[in-house]
Amino acid sequence: MGGVARAQDAGAQEAASAVKVGPEVSLDDASLLTRIREGIVVRAELGNDAGEMQDYRETIPKSGVEFDLVAIPGGEFLMGSPEEEADRLEDEGPQRRVKVSPFWMGKHEVTWDEYEPFMMTEVRREKHGGWTDFDPATHDAVDGVSQPTPPYTEMSFGMGQAGYPAVCMTQHAANKYCQWLSAQTGHFYRLPTEAEWEYACRAGTTSAYSFGEGDLDEYGWYYDNSNDKYQKVGTKKPNPWGLHDMHGNVSEWTADACGESYPMPEEGGVLINPWTVPERLYPRVVRGGSWFDDPDRLRSAARLGSSEDWKQQDPQLPKSLWYHTDASWVGFRVVRQLEIPTVQEMDAHWNSARGKR
């Protein structure tokens, strides 16, 4: 780390050390993001990386759990469904031309093996997830990341844990997992944008499903074949780019707000890396359909907006920031973009729910 970087990190730690975590105060702010970004920059400078765009395996230092990333080439595609597609809903259009930069995407959904060490900790936390006794002068940046408060019930609801997809988290919890993961690994992880998700799901195809006229039972878990529960990840055939469970098993969070239709480029142009940045807490987009859905909701263009009704069983007042107890069919997968973002960009992704109603 260069002298300027060390000075910036020291300054960030000094500023943070003057504040203590409390019910209204979290240290999960610009100073912490600066520390995390410096670690990402250092890893890139040392060349201790996966190299150019190729698949790789990442290890989570805090748990030792490994997960696989698939390199997704950049390109253009037609996002949304054509008007003649069977079972199409109005919010899947109008179709628009989109250009997406290269990125890596999780080979399958984040599993309980990966997520539970983030969700279940034995430290005292405020409701916003800040570690009450966190000391930025002595603790790692990863310890400063807000993490979930203990759940009031077992969140897999008996459907399985080892090798199964994690579910019931809010989009905020998924974002914070990405930050926690990034702080440990030195790679910037986040949720995919809706455009990135559909681009990766389609994998160069234009049909309703990425497998064309193939048999959905070979590629996805849905209501008729799932035995009323999610299934282990990666047990169905992958799409053409090697991604499993893009059709069904669990629906997946994206980074976008959910509008009634897509924003369109001017005069038939191309949108480059679009992201509908959320301005409110609801609705936000989940994609892919789930074990609880009918086949039409597993189509590449199908989308769903989140709702506060997904928290009805939550007995807490106010409702938890971390859990959608009525959405046992919602999970997520991570992406890693090629370029290192600014602190402001990191904040926009990881803290998109802060202060939102």
Side-chain angles (χ1 to χ4, degrees):
M1 184 183 296
V4 173
R6 282 195 296 269
Q8 289 176 338
D9 193 45
Q13 291 189 44
E14 182 179 354
S17 64
V19 181
K20 297 298 182 183
V21 172
E24 305 299 327
V25 178
S26 170
L27 298 185
D28 200 354
D29 55 13
S31 59
L32 182 64
L33 297 185
T34 298
R35 293 180 66 183
I36 294 172
R37 187 179 187 279
E38 288 299 333
I40 295 172
V41 170
V42 166
R43 176 163 186 174
E45 289 177 345
L46 292 175
N48 183 22
D49 216 326
E52 297 182 358
M53 293 297 297
Q54 59 184 2
D55 300 353
Y56 70 98
R57 177 166 292 176
E58 184 82 272
T59 300
I60 306 174
K62 287 281 185 181
S63 63
V65 176
E66 297 179 330
F67 63 100
D68 293 314
L69 283 298
V70 176
I72 307 298
E76 290 188 13
F77 78 115
L78 200 58
M79 184 174 178
S81 60
E83 293 185 2
E84 66 273 14
E85 185 169 300
D87 300 311
R88 177 187 189 269
L89 298 182
E90 285 298 316
D91 69 349
E92 297 170 22
Q95 287 185 299
R96 73 248 180 96
R97 180 64 59 181
V98 172
K99 184 175 183 179
V100 176
S101 298
F103 60 96
W104 289 269
M105 181 177 243
K107 191 173 185 177
H108 49 65
E109 314 95 300
V110 171
T111 65
W112 284 117
D113 310 77
E114 299 162 54
Y115 189 75
E116 194 168 42
F118 162 77
M119 184 181 78
M120 300 295 289
T121 61
E122 297 181 357
V123 300
R124 292 191 302 129
R125 296 190 178 277
E126 301 293 343
K127 286 189 175 181
H128 54 61
W131 182 359
T132 305
D133 298 323
F134 175 72
D135 181 356
T138 59
H139 292 141
D140 292 338
V142 64
D143 296 322
V145 178
S146 296
Q147 294 176 235
T149 52
Y152 83 94
T153 189
E154 198 276 298
M155 298 308 293
S156 75
F157 293 97
M159 292 189 290
Q161 291 186 306
Y164 290 88
V167 294
C168 293
M169 73 291 294
T170 61
Q171 191 209 47
H172 175 68
N175 280 328
K176 285 302 174 185
Y177 173 83
C178 292
Q179 182 178 351
W180 178 81
L181 183 65
S182 302
Q184 295 180 65
T185 62
H187 285 146
F188 173 64
Y189 290 110
R190 59 170 172 80
L191 294 178
T193 64
E194 189 176 11
E196 289 170 335
W197 193 97
E198 185 174 328
Y199 176 71
C201 177
R202 289 189 177 280
T205 67
T206 58
S207 50
Y209 303 91
S210 66
F211 50 84
E213 299 301 319
D215 184 357
L216 178 58
D217 283 336
E218 295 182 3
Y219 292 88
W221 295 106
Y222 60 104
Y223 188 78
D224 288 344
N225 70 359
S226 65
N227 195 29
D228 293 329
K229 63 187 287 291
Y230 58 51
Q231 301 294 324
K232 284 191 174 182
V233 302
T235 55
K236 294 289 188 178
K237 290 182 179 179
N239 77 355
W241 285 349
L243 299 167
H244 293 268
D245 299 333
M246 297 299 282
H247 302 293
N249 207 19
V250 295
S251 299
E252 300 176 15
W253 283 112
T254 72
D256 291 56
C258 186
E260 294 181 357
S261 63
Y262 295 136
M264 291 295 292
E266 295 182 4
E267 299 180 357
V270 178
L271 288 176
I272 299 176
N273 295 321
W275 176 27
T276 305
V277 180
E279 296 181 355
R280 301 184 63 183
L281 197 56
Y282 301 105
R284 302 189 182 197
V285 180
V286 296
R287 286 294 207 119
S290 76
W291 61 270
F292 191 66
D293 286 311
D294 291 326
D296 64 288
R297 304 313 302 153
L298 276 62
R299 291 173 300 110
S300 297
R303 56 204 301 262
L304 177 67
S306 62
S307 167
E308 57 187 340
D309 291 342
W310 296 2
K311 291 178 180 288
Q312 285 186 347
Q313 294 183 63
D314 187 348
Q316 302 179 78
L317 291 174
K319 300 290 188 181
S320 172
L321 297 171
W322 304 100
Y323 303 103
H324 277 314
T325 46
D326 293 81
S328 58
W329 36 266
V330 171
F332 69 105
R333 75 179 70 208
V334 300
V335 301
R336 173 190 161 204
Q337 65 188 51
L338 187 59
E339 301 295 327
I340 297 175
T342 65
V343 168
Q344 291 74 24
E345 290 168 337
M346 293 163 63
D347 182 66
H349 278 282
W350 292 339
N351 293 310
S352 68
R354 179 181 289 168
K356 300 293 193 300
R357 291 291 184 269

